[in-house]
Each structure stands twice: as structure tokens, then as C-alpha cells.
Amino acid sequence: MNKYLLVLPMLLFSIVNNAQVAIGKATVNGDGLLDFLDNTTNGILLPIVTTLPTGSAATNGTLLMDFSDKKIKMRSNNQWVELTKTSGDVSTVTINTSNDIGQGVIIGASTSSASGVLVLESTQKALILPKIYKPHLNVINPYPGMICYDTYNNCLSVFNGSHWYFWK
């Protein structure tokens, strides 16, 4: 038991120190902070919020889906910017009505001034999105707020519950 108590802090320290996490594979490609299995059909699901964050919780660079107008938004220059111009479909979404617990997960640092479910902190590493070949054709029943990198069109892809949006 004591061995496990010693190994756990060392593992956590190495994750913070190394600051690279691979999901579904053994290693991270390049200088990514967070990387996913190649040729997947699973993307990242953006949080779907009923109230837009304000104050210190409204950190520039935040991505989310706004349940009220059913649009994907990004916080930029202290303003919420719509990334999808038309409303999506959130009829399949079940809103979590319980209180948030904890501060979320921070990768790349031991603390952060940002507030979020997943906070990536680095001055040298970035998020590598899940790579999907033609997500609009290959992802069966995508969930509203899904984000990925389309390897066919070489662009960012987001699903709003009704339509795929592509940004180059």
C-alpha cells in the first residue's frame, strides 16, 4: 500500500512536468499538450452551457455551445463570438442540473487563472484535435458541440446538432 502512495504523487508530478497527454495511443505527436488516436471517429465534445460564463470565468480562448441559442461560441477580446451562424439542434442533449464539483482538470501546469472543465496551460505546446477523415460522412450520429480536425479538407470542424461547420 505504501508503494502505491509513493508512486501516485510521482506519476502526477511527471504528468504535470511532462505536460503531454495521449488519449487512445502511447505517445503524443510533436509538441502537443493533448493528442488523440489517429483516424478516429470520436471528437471532443464542447461543454453545452445554459448560462454563458461571466467575469473571471469568461476566459478568452474558451469554446462552448450555448444551449439558449444553440450556437457554438468562442470568447475573444472579452466578447462572445458566434462561430456558427445558424442555430443547431440540442433536442438530444440532457442538461446536467447538479452543481459543478471541483475546479476541473488542468494539463500543463499545477494551477491556472482560467476556469473550465479542461484547461490546457502551456507557452510552448498546443491542443491537437482528434483527426477524422470527412467527419460529416464518417461520424455516425455526432453529438451537438463535437469538434475535430477534418483530415480530408484540412480544417477545423464543429457540429452544432444540425450542421457541420468547417474553418480553414
Side-chain angles (χ1 to χ4, degrees):
M1 182 63 139
N2 288 338
K3 289 180 188 176
Y4 294 113
L5 292 176
L6 181 61
V7 171
L8 184 59
M10 288 175 25
L11 177 63
L12 291 174
F13 178 74
S14 69
I15 289 172
V16 170
N17 236 8
N18 189 12
Q20 292 184 290
V21 177
I23 297 178
K25 60 186 194 172
T27 61
V28 173
N29 293 343
D31 279 337
L33 190 63
L34 180 60
D35 189 14
F36 299 86
L37 179 67
D38 291 337
N39 303 316
T40 183
T41 56
N42 297 313
I44 294 175
L45 297 180
L46 297 174
I48 301 174
V49 301
T50 54
T51 305
L52 290 174
T54 59
S56 63
T59 304
N60 287 327
T62 298
L63 291 170
L64 53 74
M65 184 164 188
D66 185 345
F67 186 82
S68 61
D69 65 5
K70 303 165 188 66
K71 294 180 180 179
I72 308 286
K73 296 181 179 175
M74 177 180 72
R75 186 76 173 180
S76 179
N77 294 320
N78 300 317
Q79 302 281 330
W80 287 107
V81 178
E82 293 178 355
L83 296 181
T84 54
K85 298 300 178 193
T86 60
S87 295
D89 178 9
V90 292
S91 61
T92 60
V93 173
T94 302
I95 294 296
N96 177 9
T97 57
S98 63
N99 291 330
D100 291 338
I101 299 171
Q103 297 298 315
V105 174
I106 301 168
I107 298 176
S110 56
T111 63
S112 176
S113 60
S115 175
V117 174
L118 175 62
V119 177
L120 305 178
E121 285 283 352
S122 179
T123 59
Q124 300 171 353
K125 298 181 184 343
L127 166 67
I128 300 172
L129 291 171
K131 299 168 216 58
I132 302 176
Y133 182 79
K134 295 185 178 180
H136 61 290
L137 299 177
N138 291 314
V139 177
I140 308 301
N141 299 320
Y143 199 77
M146 182 177 167
I147 186 170
C148 63
Y149 183 77
D150 181 344
T151 59
Y152 178 77
N153 293 304
N154 296 319
C155 65
L156 177 75
S157 303
V158 178
F159 184 69
N160 75 347
S162 297
H163 300 83
W164 282 96
Y165 286 81
F166 305 94
W167 295 286
K168 286 198 175 206

